[in-house]
Amino acid sequence: MKRMLVGATMVLAALTAASGAEAKGCIKGAIVGGIAGHYAGHHGLLGAAAGCAIGRHRANSQARQMDQEAVQQGARPVSAR
């Protein structure tokens, strides 16, 4: 129980230290990854870290795709706003 409390505290500290733009996709991925890691062999923290990385990657990919579609339509990219 103490390990889980320490791990949850570390995750919360890391999430509050991250800025909003960098955390896009990370929180959702960390939750899903943490749950999956916990059930896959009590590796919740490892799963949360991997889920965060994957979530950020997917969010960045989606933002890049939206920027490319906006440029093709002649509008200003989302990242330039």
Side-chain angles (χ1 to χ4, degrees), residues 27-41:
I27 296 171
K28 184 178 176 182
I31 292 170
V32 172
I35 292 170
H38 173 73
Y39 285 111

Side-chain angles (χ1 to χ4, degrees), residues 13 19 33 63 67 80:
S19 67
D67 282 348

Side-chain angles (χ1 to χ4, degrees), residues 25-34 45-57:
C26 180
I27 296 171
K28 184 178 176 182
I31 292 170
V32 172
L45 291 177
L46 184 62
C52 177
I54 292 169
R56 283 192 61 198
H57 173 72

Side-chain angles (χ1 to χ4, degrees):
M1 183 69 178
K2 186 176 179 181
R3 268 180 50 173
M4 190 173 3
L5 183 61
V6 170
T9 304
M10 289 174 42
V11 169
L12 285 175
L15 289 176
T16 57
S19 67
E22 293 177 8
K24 192 172 258 187
C26 180
I27 296 171
K28 184 178 176 182
I31 292 170
V32 172
I35 292 170
H38 173 73
Y39 285 111
H42 300 290
H43 298 291
L45 291 177
L46 184 62
C52 177
I54 292 169
R56 283 192 61 198
H57 173 72
R58 288 190 177 189
N60 289 338
S61 297
Q62 186 177 16
R64 245 183 267 116
Q65 183 180 9
M66 287 174 51
D67 282 348
Q68 288 176 352
E69 289 173 3
V71 168
Q72 288 175 354
Q73 294 175 356
R76 225 170 59 185
V78 175
S79 61
R81 294 182 187 164

